[in-house]
Amino acid sequence: MPELSFTSAAPGAWRDKPWHRAWLESQANILFDLFDPVAINPKGGFFDLDPSGKPLPGSAVRPIHTTARAVHCYVIASLLGRPGSDRMIDHGMNYLWHSHRDAQHGGYMWSLDDNGPKDASKQGYGHAFVLLAASSAKLVGHPLADRMLDDVTTILNDRFWEDQHGAITEEFERDWTPMRGYRGQNSNMHLTEALMAAYEATANQDYLRKAERIADLIINRRARECDFRVAEHFDEQWSVDRSYKAVNEMFRPSGTTPGHWLEWSRLTLQLWVLGGKSHDWMPAAAETLFRRSVELGWDRSKGGFFYTLDWADKPSFRFKPWWPIAEAAGAVTFLIEHRPSPFHEEWYRRIWNTIAESYIDREHGGWFEELDENLVPAHSLFAGKADLYHALQACLIPLYPAQGSLTKAIG
């Protein structure tokens, strides 16, 4: 399918139009309708779904972020008033607390199967999502929320946080033996999101200050040094590692990842608002991150965002997962509110046109988790449907003031 050569310039912002808003709400409901009936694994956690929306064979291994993100999404559903959501929250919170939480050594194990720990390592990425789940669950009064929030905060502060750098280390063995030699932006980016949610849930300034320090390191210093390409991989002193070769394309891909530039664009503006608009560098950085992502990461021939670029800005992994364009929708929404321009409105429409034409699975519901270079559904990285997290937030963020997290805006 060729890239659109025309993007409507009809007057008025799309996100203000009742029809567009109703369409976004309907898409969010379709996502919930896909997951609600089948997602709960009776042995704990949630099933991954196959392309038709049924439990995916071989999905007995449950990584922690899948459960934590489901809790966050169903808190959103509960705040919206969607019946059945509280059961999903309770199921996920209990699995995090009673199964992923390591009663022997402390912290939260990365993945479990029906027999217990599968990968018992303690990863910053996973702990960031536990913090997000606990912070979100606190907003609906879940009985485990305060205990989990206190517990994971202590672990993050005592085990992961490196105050000399203003960011977290990456991972440990189950017994807290360090895995040395690597620092990553992805875990710190998601921790920034979770720290903001924790600040909104508790008003504890320490969460906000840590989020600001991470953003200053990764965006204001390291990304700025790279002409606002967000580096993914670093050594222990937070020097950029441009030679890093991926051993896990899903969580640590080689090169740079424009989808993360888009994610940081939104998070930086959200952090600017939460911090009282006191950091002057943040709005311009958010705008530049978005512009660089569409200049370098967007496929001008066929549309969609390439997954990765090399350091010469050439597409490396040319397939197009769902989450970068979902994050683009959230980022451009925040930009339209805080840095309004015809450029941002044009991209808002282009992004949603591409999602509607290529990413939405009209036969089975939900979104295609991956398209190839020609925008044809593919499965090189993912075996089945994507979870709710990215697509749901893309649909809902435009419906609320771009002043904080969705849970805070809805609640």
Side-chain angles (χ1 to χ4, degrees):
M1 181 183 296
E3 161 68 327
L4 288 170
S5 59
F6 163 75
T7 302
S8 169
W14 265 18
R15 70 183 287 241
D16 295 333
K17 294 182 180 295
W19 186 282
H20 179 67
R21 296 175 69 81
W23 185 85
L24 290 172
E25 186 175 295
S26 72
Q27 293 303 315
N29 267 316
I30 290 168
L31 288 165
F32 282 127
D33 287 343
L34 175 68
F35 280 83
D36 288 1
V38 296
I40 282 184
N41 185 331
K43 295 183 179 180
F46 300 90
F47 288 116
D48 293 326
L49 304 186
D50 71 13
S52 68
K54 298 181 177 64
L56 184 69
S59 64
V61 177
R62 278 86 86 190
I64 194 168
H65 69 287
T66 300
T67 301
R69 296 201 308 202
V71 169
H72 171 67
C73 290
Y74 279 97
V75 167
I76 291 171
S78 181
L79 291 169
L80 289 169
R82 184 176 174 90
S85 303
D86 291 348
R87 173 173 174 250
M88 308 289 271
I89 297 167
D90 193 53
H91 183 78
M93 288 292 285
N94 275 286
Y95 195 57
L96 291 173
W97 185 255
H98 295 295
S99 298
H100 276 286
R101 180 171 168 268
D102 187 344
Q104 180 180 1
H105 298 287
Y108 295 79
M109 296 177 284
W110 174 251
S111 67
L112 310 172
D113 62 17
D114 293 346
N115 300 312
K118 183 70 172 177
D119 178 350
S121 64
K122 311 291 171 59
Q123 300 193 23
Y125 186 94
H127 283 72
F129 277 108
V130 173
L131 180 63
L132 180 65
S135 301
S136 298
K138 182 176 175 64
L139 298 180
V140 294
H142 192 276
L144 289 174
D146 284 328
R147 276 182 285 171
M148 189 183 296
L149 185 56
D150 289 344
D151 183 63
V152 72
T153 298
T154 298
I155 293 294
L156 284 164
N157 288 342
D158 293 352
R159 296 289 190 176
F160 284 93
W161 184 256
E162 296 182 317
D163 199 60
Q164 71 272 30
H165 299 300
I168 59 167
T169 187
E170 192 68 19
E171 61 182 322
F172 298 85
E173 301 284 0
R174 181 177 184 178
D175 64 359
W176 296 107
T177 300
M179 297 186 187
R180 300 191 182 279
Y182 178 83
R183 298 294 182 269
Q185 85 77 25
N186 195 10
S187 59
N188 278 277
M189 178 187 70
H190 283 294
L191 182 60
T192 301
E193 175 189 31
L195 288 165
M196 287 192 283
Y199 169 68
E200 290 172 322
T202 67
N204 183 337
Q205 290 281 331
D206 188 58
Y207 292 121
L208 181 62
R209 298 297 166 244
K210 282 184 167 64
E212 290 172 334
R213 290 194 65 192
I214 293 170
D216 181 70
L217 171 66
I218 293 176
I219 301 304
N220 194 35
R221 287 186 278 160
R222 296 297 175 264
R224 190 181 297 278
E225 291 165 359
C226 297
D227 199 17
F228 283 97
R229 301 165 179 84
V230 179
E232 293 288 325
H233 311 294
F234 302 82
D235 66 17
E236 291 183 346
Q237 299 304 312
W238 283 95
S239 296
V240 176
D241 182 0
R242 296 193 180 205
S243 64
Y244 183 88
K245 299 299 181 184
V247 295
N248 185 329
E249 284 287 356
M250 189 180 302
F251 292 107
R252 298 185 191 177
S254 303
T256 65
T257 308
H260 286 153
W261 314 0
L262 294 160
E263 205 157 352
W264 268 115
S265 178
R266 171 176 61 87
L267 294 174
T268 302
L269 277 175
Q270 184 178 329
L271 187 57
W272 176 66
V273 173
L274 287 182
K277 301 183 178 181
S278 59
H279 296 282
D280 293 341
W281 65 267
M282 290 182 176
E287 190 169 10
T288 304
L289 287 167
F290 181 83
R291 188 175 289 273
R292 296 293 277 159
S293 70
V294 299
E295 288 174 347
L296 299 176
W298 184 262
D299 185 346
R300 297 180 186 179
S301 173
K302 299 180 176 67
F305 288 98
F306 295 115
Y307 183 39
T308 61
L309 309 176
D310 64 22
W311 278 101
D313 302 326
K314 302 299 182 185
S316 179
F317 197 106
R318 302 180 72 94
F319 280 24
K320 300 161 183 175
W322 87 105
W323 66 263
I325 201 163
E327 289 300 328
V332 77
T333 296
F334 267 73
L335 285 163
I336 285 170
E337 183 148 332
H338 297 290
R339 307 284 277 195
S341 73
F343 176 80
H344 293 138
E345 178 62 28
E346 176 187 350
W347 271 100
Y348 181 92
R349 299 179 187 202
R350 179 173 293 156
I351 287 161
W352 278 112
N353 280 331
T354 304
I355 291 170
E357 292 182 359
S358 299
Y359 280 89
I360 292 175
D361 183 349
R362 300 184 187 278
E363 180 180 359
H364 299 295
W367 292 23
F368 296 115
E369 72 287 344
E370 184 181 356
L371 305 180
D372 69 12
E373 187 173 359
N374 296 310
L375 302 180
V376 175
H379 297 285
S380 65
L381 288 175
F382 305 94
K385 290 288 184 189
D387 67 10
L388 286 169
Y389 170 74
H390 290 285
L392 179 70
Q393 294 194 138
C395 293
L396 293 178
I397 284 172
L399 301 180
Y400 294 90
Q403 302 295 322
S405 67
L406 261 178
T407 48
K408 186 69 172 179
I410 297 167

